[in-house]
Amino acid sequence: MKYIKILILALACLLQLSCEDFVEIEIPDDRLINKSVFSSDKTANSAVKGIYNELYQANFSSGLQVSLTVLSALSADNLKATVTTENLLEFEANEIFIRNSYNLGIWSSAYNIIYMANAVLEGLTGNNNISQDLNEKLSGEARFIRAFTYYYLVNLYGEVPLVLATDYEENSRKSRNSTSEIYAQIVQDLEIATEQLGNTYNNGERLHANRFTAMALLARVFLHLGEWELAEDYSTEVIDASQTYELLAHDEVFLANSKEAIWQISPREGGSSRTNTREGALFILVNNLRQVALTEDLIDSFESNDTRLEQWIGHFKTENESYFFPYKYKIHTDTEEISEYSMVMRLAEQYLIRAEARAEQGKLAESISDLNKIRQRSDLIPVDLDDPGITSDMVINLILQERRKELFTEWGHRWIDLKRKGEAGAVLSSKKPLWDNTDVYYPIPEDELLKNPNLTQNPGY
């Protein structure tokens, strides 16, 4: 399994530097994680900032064609490849080979992030050099990031090794843990994080986790686990923080530090000089085709008067073809100032989580009210609260349809929704000729199996 012994080495790989080149350059303060880093508040802060920087750089979370945002949308039915890149086509066809380098990139970069979070937690534990309040805050952020990363690993691969320390030798021999064990750790980390984190953001920038960020992820996790009351309770906590969060007009949602944002990633993370998001650079089709476009199936799911068709979807024509592309981000190339941040979590999802959790509990009026918040923002006719023939199943189906249209090309929601509701086979088998029900999980990369004899492969690979 590809675990890094030290953060510096991982960053060298990311920057594609040779070992000889790497030792000659000065290492930025916020990229060092070792015992000396945890000798003061300033350096401890920098160490945690280094994890956020890594989220911008890592395949797993970068927003590029190698990221889970793109690959999971191809695995579902929201994106299609417009190039003949084999790695992308395998995800689109749900025929991923164990040597697929994009799949390896997701796995290994996600575990690198987890390693970094573990290193921070070890460095902070029992550390009297760091002020108590800051120690708790940084610990809460590290726990949140670890939980966030494991949430995606368990949903992409099923059973995965649960790594909670930095011992390379021990980690390299770990076998896979059950999904219930992974989720138990995710919940534990997030519950502790909600106690350690405050309600505010650093300097008004929504780039680090706060208490509400952890609660928002807990709401998502409990929805996935079928803990409807807890999902409702946590999403309500976030929704009720109305001084911090609100639903915005579509053209304001993806701006930097928008009030709809619960967590974002800046293009400037990791020392980048970029001023546009990587999603904008990848998705927006201007003078030529990029690597992916939206499926006609997704476009057909929108009602004709849905304002998201105009605000969040672009249209591009070649001499022979016509394509639709995600247009949530408007900036395609570098500009003088940053105006958009990459969205990771936002308030609209919390309304849809609460709507589904309430419908599952038979609270149809309250559920429909939440659903209508999202529909009415898009100028759609609200679902009738007084319709005597409406059932919980009908409302849940409407919510899932709304989730697809609202959250497309944002961090794999459609792919995960199809699987958690047991609908992946029913929906995708008619659209993907090679679909097999074992395709709900990606393969464990061959490189990892060769390095760790205790790892086993997922069925079907």
Side-chain angles (χ1 to χ4, degrees):
M1 191 176 300
K2 187 179 179 183
Y3 298 108
I4 53 176
K5 293 185 178 180
I6 56 174
L7 174 58
I8 299 172
L9 186 58
L11 287 164
C13 295
L14 285 167
L15 294 171
Q16 296 183 333
L17 297 171
S18 70
C19 292
E20 291 78 11
D21 291 336
F22 183 64
V23 296
E24 295 175 358
I25 67 172
E26 181 179 355
I27 308 303
D29 289 342
D30 61 5
R31 295 185 183 183
L32 294 170
I33 291 187
N34 54 46
K35 286 296 182 184
S36 66
V37 166
F38 300 97
S39 61
S40 71
D41 286 6
K42 180 180 178 181
T43 53
N45 254 321
S46 293
V48 173
K49 186 176 186 298
I51 309 180
Y52 290 100
N53 292 347
E54 181 71 359
L55 285 164
Y56 174 78
Q57 304 280 6
N59 286 20
F60 158 76
S61 47
S62 66
L64 293 171
Q65 72 274 10
V66 295
S67 69
L68 73 88
T69 286
V70 173
L71 299 177
S72 61
L74 286 167
S75 296
D77 50 1
N78 282 351
L79 281 182
K80 63 181 180 180
T82 58
V83 293
T84 57
T85 304
E86 192 62 35
N87 282 325
L88 292 176
L89 294 175
E90 288 177 16
F91 278 89
E92 182 181 8
N94 303 103
E95 286 294 303
I96 304 168
F97 288 89
I98 62 174
R99 295 182 180 179
N100 186 299
S101 63
Y102 289 4
N103 183 49
L104 173 62
I106 292 176
W107 175 284
S108 58
S109 64
Y111 270 109
N112 283 346
I113 292 166
I114 289 168
Y115 177 96
M116 294 165 68
N118 290 340
V120 165
L121 290 168
E122 289 179 3
L124 292 172
T125 300
N127 190 326
N128 296 322
N129 297 319
I130 313 298
S131 61
Q132 183 177 350
D133 287 348
L134 181 63
N135 192 311
E136 287 198 359
K137 176 180 179 295
L138 298 181
S139 175
E141 290 186 57
R143 285 184 179 276
F144 167 78
I145 292 171
R146 183 168 71 180
F148 177 82
T149 308
Y150 267 122
Y151 170 80
Y152 281 102
L153 281 172
V154 76
N155 275 286
L156 296 180
Y157 297 98
E159 296 182 347
V160 295
L162 184 58
V163 178
L164 302 176
T166 59
D167 186 316
Y168 174 78
E169 294 300 326
E170 179 183 344
N171 292 344
S172 67
R173 297 190 299 269
K174 277 190 170 291
S175 57
R176 300 167 72 176
N177 292 77
S178 68
T179 58
S180 60
E181 290 175 304
I182 302 297
Y183 271 112
Q185 183 63 49
I186 291 170
V187 170
Q188 178 181 316
D189 274 345
L190 291 175
E191 288 179 340
I192 294 173
T194 62
E195 298 297 323
Q196 294 178 318
L197 295 171
N199 292 347
T200 59
Y201 290 100
N202 295 350
N203 304 315
E205 291 267 277
R206 301 182 179 218
L207 304 177
H208 286 215
N210 67 8
R211 177 170 167 266
F212 293 118
T213 318
M215 286 184 168
L217 185 53
L218 270 172
R220 183 193 295 179
V221 168
F222 283 129
L223 186 78
H224 195 116
L225 295 175
E227 298 282 355
W228 314 123
E229 291 185 19
L230 288 170
E232 179 184 5
D233 289 345
Y234 278 110
S235 57
T236 297
E237 288 268 8
V238 180
I239 291 167
D240 285 351
S242 55
Q243 292 186 334
T244 305
Y245 307 108
E246 66 176 294
L247 294 177
L248 300 176
H250 291 110
D251 60 352
E252 299 176 356
V253 171
F254 295 89
L255 297 179
N257 300 309
S258 87
K259 286 196 72 175
E260 187 159 331
I262 298 173
W263 183 28
Q264 294 177 304
I265 294 175
S266 167
R268 285 283 169 82
E269 296 296 328
S272 169
S273 61
R274 181 185 292 274
T275 57
N276 61 316
T277 64
R278 282 172 160 170
E279 291 88 347
L282 174 69
F283 288 139
I284 298 173
L285 306 181
V286 181
N287 298 318
N288 59 287
L289 278 178
R290 306 295 289 173
Q291 301 197 47
V292 292
L294 295 173
T295 62
E296 290 77 10
D297 183 73
L298 172 63
I299 301 303
D300 291 343
S301 72
F302 286 87
E303 297 170 53
S304 60
N305 60 324
D306 192 324
T307 55
R308 289 170 295 196
L309 279 171
E310 176 184 354
Q311 293 288 333
W312 287 355
I313 294 175
H315 192 208
F316 175 77
K317 289 185 177 181
T318 65
E319 184 176 346
N320 300 315
E321 298 287 345
S322 180
Y323 297 91
F324 295 94
F325 61 87
Y327 202 31
K328 291 178 171 180
Y329 302 95
K330 310 301 183 188
I331 309 302
H332 175 60
T333 56
D334 281 342
T335 57
E336 290 186 5
E337 296 183 1
I338 296 177
S339 61
E340 298 175 337
Y341 288 166
S342 296
M343 188 71 73
V344 188
M345 300 172 69
R346 60 188 176 94
L347 185 62
E349 182 202 355
Q350 296 301 304
Y351 274 102
L352 293 168
I353 286 173
R354 191 169 71 172
E356 186 176 340
R358 285 174 163 176
E360 290 284 2
Q361 297 174 79
K363 301 178 180 179
L364 293 192
E366 296 96 325
S367 172
I368 292 169
S369 177
D370 283 337
L371 174 61
N372 283 340
K373 290 280 198 316
I374 306 303
R375 287 183 59 81
Q376 288 175 295
R377 177 169 70 169
S378 298
D379 292 338
L380 298 177
I381 298 172
V383 179
D384 187 356
L385 288 167
D386 299 318
D387 182 351
I390 201 162
T391 65
S392 294
D393 287 344
M394 292 168 62
V395 173
I396 291 169
N397 187 53
L398 289 171
I399 292 166
L400 293 172
Q401 292 175 30
E402 204 60 40
R403 285 179 63 88
R404 184 186 187 191
K405 293 179 288 186
E406 180 69 22
L407 301 172
F408 69 91
T409 60
E410 293 182 48
W411 287 86
H413 287 287
R414 172 66 170 173
W415 178 234
I416 293 173
D417 282 348
L418 287 173
K419 296 194 296 177
R420 72 181 176 86
K421 302 303 287 186
E423 296 181 356
V427 171
L428 298 178
S429 60
S430 62
K431 304 175 183 180
K432 310 286 189 89
L434 299 177
W435 174 263
D436 187 275
N437 286 336
T438 57
D439 295 335
V440 293
Y441 289 129
Y442 295 160
I444 308 303
E446 182 184 52
D447 282 11
E448 308 304 316
L449 294 169
L450 293 174
K451 293 173 185 176
N452 181 356
N454 294 323
L455 275 182
T456 57
Q457 184 58 274
N458 277 326
Y461 296 99

